[in-house]
Amino acid sequence: LKAFERRLTEYIACLQPATGRWRTILIVVSVCTATGAWNWLIDPETQKVSFFTSLWNHPFFTISCITLIGLFFAGIHKRVVAPSIIAARCRTVLAEYNMSCDDTGKLILKPRPHVQG
């Protein structure tokens, strides 16, 4: 059990730096998209021209929006929560053995169910 716990905590800890970078990228692109959308919506020309022309007139919003969509197609929504997905799957398997684990991978031993005879 100690070897399993050590390996699980090591694996989850190894994922944390990459997860942090993906979260930072997602936050930056989301803020850029929101800022570009605000500028796009408050522009009086947006209502007067066609949709594609308004997108052409606002390249910051267009590029950030395409980048955000591309990141979601690339699976960024899974990468930002990868450690919690691993921990949740381990909890599911460990539940059959009256164990669980926290978000860092530390094992939690549950008391044995007491069977009265």
Side-chain angles (χ1 to χ4, degrees), residues 33-101:
T33 303
T35 304
W38 177 255
N39 290 332
W40 181 57
L41 290 173
I42 63 170
D43 184 13
E45 285 295 313
T46 301
Q47 298 172 2
K48 299 174 185 170
V49 296
S50 71
F51 175 71
F52 292 110
T53 306
S54 68
L55 288 178
W56 185 260
N57 291 340
H58 297 276
F60 181 72
F61 169 67
T62 306
I63 291 169
S64 60
C65 193
I66 290 170
T67 304
L68 186 63
I69 291 168
L71 285 171
F72 275 101
F73 277 127
I76 196 169
H77 57 290
K78 293 177 188 171
R79 291 184 175 130
V80 297
V81 293
S84 52
I85 291 173
I86 303 271
R89 289 180 182 170
C90 284
R91 281 187 205 103
T92 303
V93 173
L94 290 170
E96 297 195 20
Y97 301 101
N98 285 337
M99 290 188 278
S100 185
C101 66

